[in-house]
């Protein structure tokens, strides 16, 4: 078997929320196997810095753009800029996400909306803005970043789990809708990784240990442990995979 099926030469990937954390790792991984990348986050400086890092470490082309995924017109402008710069987008990684952990009685309308808008409306705006590009070219790879909380839950996570559970069915529905166009739509559901999003858990030794107790492999995810999954789903190696959920969670959701 040729490992070339994992290569992404001549492909262009757009990764949202790629200024740091899992998004930056995945954008770098896609570039390492040959893709040119557009990295976005709300802060232009952070996105541009991430793009420079990727150019330096991989030698691929990378463009950093400011895009708040909750803002439909910014998303549409970002897609227009990406297409103007690279001429095509082959791979979309809907990674930008936030979490607000509170009991429902303490959640404001604004907090609920912020999480739903970022984690669920954002992927909707991106996919819709790229629909013409994917459908006309009869090619595309959409990879949504869900969570273990797409399928199971923890108290105090109503907005996060609702948004990530919604993203799972968004993924399956769009996979069916776009299958006739040769566009695949899949979701990666990570377990806990040590990123800024989990700062409060990482600072709390009890919470950290309680998480480990739920992970059959007995540890948190390490940097780079999503890279194989994202490269697989972005590449021709996954040509017959659509509407699928790939758990990368140390076994959490097997229980
Ligand atoms: P980080 O907090 O480390 O990074 C989040 C990224 O998203 C940043 O680049 C941030 O940049 C960007 N972002 C946040 N809000 C927006 C927005 N409205 N528009 C555009 N970009 C935004 O998070 P992680 O790397 O940990 O998480 C990445 C994804 O993985 C998320 O979807 C998360 O839910 C998911 N996930 C993470 C897990 C973990 O344990 N870390 C576990 C399961 C899933 P900026 O602030 O500059 O906009």
């Amino acid at each position: 078997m040729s490992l070339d099926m994992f290569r992404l030469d001549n492909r262009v990937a757009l990764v949202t929320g790629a200024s740091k954390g899992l998004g930056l790792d995945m954008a770098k991984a896609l570039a390492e196997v040959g893709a040119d990348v557009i990295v976005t986050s709300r802060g232009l400086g952070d996105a541009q810095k991430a793009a420079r890092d990727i150019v330096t470490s991989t030698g691929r082309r990378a463009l950093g753009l400011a895009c708040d995924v909750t803002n439909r017109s910014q998303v549409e402008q970002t897609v227009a800029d990406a297409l103007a710069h690279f001429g095509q987008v082959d791979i979309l990684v809907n990674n930008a996400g936030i979490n607000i952990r509170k009991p429902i009685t303490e959640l404001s309308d604004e907090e609920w909306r912020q999480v739903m808008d970022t984690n669920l409306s954002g992927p909707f705006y991106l996919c819709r803005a790229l629909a013409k590009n994917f459908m006309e070219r009869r090619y595309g790879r959409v990879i949504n970043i869900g969570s273990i909380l797409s399928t199971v839950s923890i108290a105090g996570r109503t907005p996060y789990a609702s948004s990530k559970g919604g993203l799972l069915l968004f993924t399956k529905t769009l996979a069916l809708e776009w299958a006739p166009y040769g566009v695949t739509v899949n979701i990666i559901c990570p377990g806990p990784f040590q990123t800024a999003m989990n700062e409060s858990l990482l600072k709390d030794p009890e919470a950290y240990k309680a998480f480990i107790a739920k992970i059959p492999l007995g540890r948190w995810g390490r940097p780079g442990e999503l890279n194989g999954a994202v490269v697989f789903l972005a590449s021709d190696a996954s040509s017959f995979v659509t509407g699928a959920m790939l758990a990368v969670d140390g076994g959490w959701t097997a229980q």
Side-chain angles (χ1 to χ4, degrees), residues 28-56:
K28 234 182 229 174
L30 296 173
E32 277 167 9
V33 292
D36 292 328
V37 295
I38 301 119
V39 290
T40 71
S41 69
R42 284 169 298 185
L44 178 63
D46 291 341
Q48 288 178 331
K49 183 177 175 301
R52 281 195 302 274
D53 281 359
I54 291 172
V55 171
T56 310

Side-chain angles (χ1 to χ4, degrees), residues 17-23 41-43 46 67-70 95-98 118 145-147 160 164 190-193 195-198:
S19 59
K20 60 182 179 186
L22 304 178
S41 69
R42 284 169 298 185
D46 291 341
C67 176
D68 181 339
V69 299
T70 69
N95 166 77
I98 57 166
T118 309
I145 305 303
S147 163
Y160 188 77
K164 294 295 189 178
F193 280 76
T195 63
M197 176 180 278
N198 289 327

Side-chain angles (χ1 to χ4, degrees), residues 138-248:
R138 303 190 80 79
Y139 185 86
R141 292 276 190 269
V142 177
I143 301 155
N144 294 320
I145 305 303
S147 163
I148 47 176
L149 273 67
S150 292
T151 60
V152 296
S153 204
I154 302 175
R157 312 297 202 280
T158 49
Y160 188 77
S162 302
S163 66
K164 294 295 189 178
L167 191 59
L168 174 60
L169 278 170
F170 174 82
T171 302
K172 292 186 182 190
T173 309
L174 196 57
L176 298 176
E177 215 166 295
W178 282 357
Y181 300 91
V183 180
T184 68
V185 187
N186 293 293
I187 185 166
I188 297 175
C189 290
F193 280 76
Q194 303 191 6
T195 63
M197 176 180 278
N198 289 327
E199 217 168 340
S200 60
L201 291 173
L202 292 167
K203 281 187 192 149
D204 175 349
E206 289 307 312
Y208 183 79
K209 270 198 270 164
F211 266 60
I212 291 182
K214 291 185 175 184
I215 305 170
L217 285 182
R219 61 172 177 82
W220 283 50
R222 295 184 182 130
E225 284 192 316
L226 287 187
N227 294 356
V230 78
V231 168
F232 169 64
L233 291 175
S235 70
D236 290 341
S238 63
S239 50
F240 201 49
V241 180
T242 196
M245 188 200 93
L246 178 46
V248 184

